[in-house]
Amino acid sequence: MDLNIIQPENDAVFEIESLDLPAIVTDKLFIASQANQVDIFALDNGFQLNFSENIKLLFVSKLDNLGHSQWYFRVIDENNSFPF
């Protein structure tokens, strides 16, 4: 599937449907990333996975008016080399 989002000129940010992503989901992601030798970094409002020097996946959250965490993801592919 190619959603045409991994293009530097597109720079799209996509909303994840579920609110308040459970901590176990992010914990498992950190474990799976380390097991697969993918660099993962905690950010103030989420985390970033570095698949290579030029390909990154960001997951960030923002509190809505009701205090729920709304999560978003963004793909950065500086060389426009992979479909997503």
Side-chain angles (χ1 to χ4, degrees), residues 5-8 54-56 75-83:
I5 63 172
I6 304 184
Q7 295 179 353
N54 298 317
I55 301 173
K56 299 171 179 81
V75 178
I76 301 168
D77 181 3
E78 295 174 3
N79 295 332
N80 195 23
S81 56
F82 284 94

Side-chain angles (χ1 to χ4, degrees), residues 11-26:
D11 199 30
V13 176
F14 292 90
E15 184 175 290
I16 296 174
E17 190 171 305
S18 298
L19 293 174
D20 300 323
L21 196 63
I24 192 156
V25 172
T26 56

Side-chain angles (χ1 to χ4, degrees), residues 46-60:
F47 48 93
Q48 174 178 315
L49 290 99
N50 293 343
F51 294 104
S52 72
E53 191 173 306
N54 298 317
I55 301 173
K56 299 171 179 81
L57 179 60
L58 290 115
F59 287 95
V60 294

Side-chain angles (χ1 to χ4, degrees), residues 21-32 40 47 59 71:
L21 196 63
I24 192 156
V25 172
T26 56
D27 291 347
K28 286 183 177 184
L29 184 58
F30 271 80
I31 292 167
I40 186 166
F47 48 93
F59 287 95
W71 284 86

